[in-house]
Amino acid sequence: MDYKKLADLLYPNVDKTIDDYEKMYPERNLSEDAIVARFAPSPTGRMHMGNLFASFIPETFAHQTNGIFILRIEDTDDKRAIENGTELILEDLKAYKYKVDEDPINGGAYGPYIQSKRKDIYSTFGKYLVSIGRAYPCFCSEEEIAHIREIQTEKKDRIGYYGKYAKCRNLTYEEIEEKIKNNEPWVLRLKSNGDFNRKIIFKDLIKGTIEIPENDIDHVLIKSDGIPPYAFAHVVDDYLMRVTHVTRDDSYISSVPYHLEIWKSFGFKVPKYAHILPLNKKEGETIRKLSKRKDPEAAVSFYNERGIPEEAVKLYFATLLNSNFEEWYNANPNSNISDFTFTFDKMSKSGSIFDIDKLISISKTYFSRLKAQDLYNLIIEQSKQNNNQ
Ligand code: GLU
């Protein structure tokens, strides 16, 4: 098959190349050990403690190394997005004095920082994968996909579009041309060359070395409306934003083999990944995830209303981030968070328990160390805020 011809057939209007984008977003002029990290939420509403902690991590590592902290809005799943979602997130980050270097509202040289505005970029990268034979169009309808799933369930086979189930994988150029002429909708799929019976060895900054089966599923890279699901979008964005460290929720760990396959199909250097365990809550003998629905202390407003300053919450986050922080903080009464050097390997591998009593106790220590004038200013500030509420 002439893959270049196929790429032009599928993307006749894409005239840019990856090279063009690499020139637009050149490697950053930073020192070798500087960390470029991002917080990449969906714009679904106000921050809660879970994502405030999740953003504390890249912000801390980026600035500790004189790097860059990016806020990228992932709004490709528009069902959950709310209209002013980006503004609310930025407002909450600013209230906690996180230094956001690049974001969708104030911009930066590596934007747009909102995925729905990056469609042309994704098409260019998709076109490239077609041109090297690593992606193909799939015309299967939702009903056909559901049917494949039924057969797999019946046969107790793995679910997914792979191997003999991937029927569009072997369409000829002529068959594809015919379908395109008939305006049949299509999605772009990865042509996986993985083998489920082989394992990849992957080094996570927090969890250490992990072995997981290779990906062999021809996942959807770009949907028929030109919008990519998370996997493809994050690879393209993290590459062009020159992100060095991907810190994200631990729930993505099982998708790592697929994500690595995308990185490698482009031939790009893979950034470091750090998968963060969620904040947990202890309820009697059981441990469960801190929930923004069930737990009032999961809301950021909970702390404002009780006069617990942002700095105290951050000190608590610092103790969760590195187990040796607290001892250091107690031994260094005149220091603050930015004087401490955090490392990924001192993060919990089993998940942290969110302990409100400890947070309050740290808050007390913080207050006790404030100079009279600073304490006065803080109280005035809090009274003003509470009067406005
Ligand atoms: N948008 C993803 C989420 O909210 C972010 C994942 C990532 O940080 O890569 O879960």
Side-chain angles (χ1 to χ4, degrees):
M1 163 106 66
D2 182 344
Y3 293 120
K4 282 220 159 46
K5 198 167 144 204
L6 178 62
D8 286 331
L9 174 71
L10 296 176
Y11 294 98
N13 301 322
V14 170
D15 51 5
K16 283 209 172 62
T17 63
I18 292 186
D19 263 12
D20 295 329
Y21 285 112
E22 283 171 342
K23 283 191 192 103
M24 274 170 77
Y25 308 111
E27 287 209 26
R28 292 173 183 267
N29 198 3
L30 296 169
S31 70
E32 216 174 283
D33 56 0
I35 290 182
V36 179
R38 82 297 191 284
F39 173 51
S42 302
T44 53
R46 289 229 93 103
M47 300 274 277
H48 51 83
M49 279 295 125
N51 50 26
L52 200 60
F53 177 57
S55 49
F56 177 76
I57 299 166
E59 201 264 354
T60 301
F61 281 109
H63 295 134
Q64 157 178 308
T65 57
N66 294 321
I68 301 285
F69 174 55
I70 301 168
L71 169 66
R72 181 171 76 225
I73 295 294
E74 304 204 333
D75 60 343
T76 55
D77 177 10
D78 44 39
K79 285 188 286 303
R80 293 186 308 143
I82 63 164
E83 205 179 311
N84 59 343
T86 305
E87 283 80 0
L88 291 178
I89 290 169
L90 202 57
E91 220 174 78
D92 287 342
L93 291 174
K94 292 268 159 78
Y96 271 73
K97 299 200 179 60
Y98 287 6
K99 185 171 164 274
V100 184
D101 301 300
E102 298 171 14
D103 69 71
I105 293 173
N106 304 296
Y110 290 78
Y113 297 94
I114 185 152
Q115 288 184 330
S116 54
K117 302 218 168 102
R118 300 175 64 82
K119 240 168 137 169
D120 291 349
I121 302 180
Y122 301 131
S123 305
T124 304
F125 279 66
K127 182 173 185 177
Y128 171 76
L129 286 188
V130 176
S131 76
I132 59 164
R134 289 305 315 275
Y136 63 92
C138 167
F139 299 87
C140 286
S141 63
E142 274 178 36
E143 290 73 33
E144 280 171 290
I145 299 290
H147 183 61
I148 295 174
R149 177 183 276 266
E150 270 167 33
I151 298 175
Q152 290 169 333
T153 313
E154 219 167 85
K155 289 191 174 167
K156 297 198 168 46
D157 240 352
R158 272 184 309 122
I159 304 290
Y161 202 83
Y162 62 92
K164 63 174 189 276
Y165 297 108
K167 39 187 237 186
C168 289
R169 189 175 163 124
N170 299 317
L171 292 177
T172 63
Y173 180 87
E174 289 69 31
E175 285 167 328
I176 296 173
E177 193 179 32
E178 183 65 24
K179 288 176 186 292
I180 295 283
K181 261 196 213 139
N182 294 336
N183 283 327
E184 284 189 38
W186 55 277
V187 298
L188 189 71
R189 285 190 186 271
L190 175 73
K191 193 183 274 182
S192 174
N193 56 16
D195 175 348
F196 189 72
N197 297 314
R198 275 200 311 250
K199 291 218 164 110
I200 58 156
I201 295 177
F202 158 72
K203 197 165 174 297
D204 184 82
L205 289 179
I206 298 169
K207 294 175 170 270
T209 302
I210 297 172
E211 265 189 56
I212 341 184
E214 280 182 9
N215 172 62
D216 67 346
I217 300 198
D218 290 357
H219 286 285
V220 174
L221 297 172
I222 306 183
K223 294 183 284 186
S224 53
D225 58 3
I227 296 281
Y230 168 75
F232 188 71
H234 102 281
V235 169
V236 173
D237 295 348
D238 285 334
Y239 176 64
L240 287 182
M241 292 177 188
R242 307 292 179 175
V243 166
T244 60
H245 289 60
V246 175
T247 61
R248 63 178 182 185
D249 195 273
D250 169 67
S251 58
Y252 288 101
I253 202 104
S254 58
S255 316
V256 163
Y258 168 41
H259 298 169
L260 292 184
E261 192 176 2
I262 306 178
W263 281 105
K264 289 186 178 148
S265 63
F266 283 113
F268 297 152
K269 179 170 174 242
V270 183
K272 295 195 164 70
Y273 277 88
H275 288 89
I276 307 157
L277 281 131
L279 295 179
N280 289 324
K281 177 162 172 149
K282 201 162 180 210
E283 237 178 9
E285 284 312 295
T286 53
I287 291 177
R288 61 162 174 84
K289 212 170 146 177
L290 187 72
S291 150
K292 60 178 174 180
R293 273 178 302 279
K294 289 190 213 146
D295 305 315
E297 72 271 34
V300 173
S301 55
F302 179 91
Y303 303 87
N304 303 340
E305 285 156 14
R306 279 161 185 76
I308 299 173
E310 290 84 10
E311 199 55 30
V313 174
K314 283 161 72 169
L315 283 167
Y316 178 60
F317 284 166
T319 67
L320 296 179
L321 182 53
N322 272 189
S323 45
N324 52 340
F325 176 81
E326 196 176 0
E327 199 187 325
W328 173 88
Y329 181 62
N330 290 337
N332 293 278
N334 298 320
S335 301
N336 50 45
I337 300 175
S338 57
D339 300 322
F340 184 80
T341 305
F342 292 91
T343 56
F344 280 102
D345 60 359
K346 292 227 165 47
M347 274 192 81
S348 164
K349 292 178 181 36
S350 55
S352 311
I353 304 283
F354 190 80
D355 180 348
I356 186 78
D357 294 334
K358 186 150 177 209
L359 196 159
I360 291 169
S361 136
I362 287 176
S363 183
K364 284 184 189 156
T365 311
Y366 172 72
F367 273 113
S368 72
R369 288 182 182 183
L370 283 179
K371 292 196 182 72
Q373 184 63 41
D374 293 336
L375 182 60
Y376 174 80
N377 292 346
L378 183 66
I379 292 169
I380 296 289
E381 184 56 35
Q382 285 186 345
S383 321
K384 274 195 212 146
Q385 274 179 17
N386 289 337
N387 280 340
N388 288 340
Q389 274 168 9

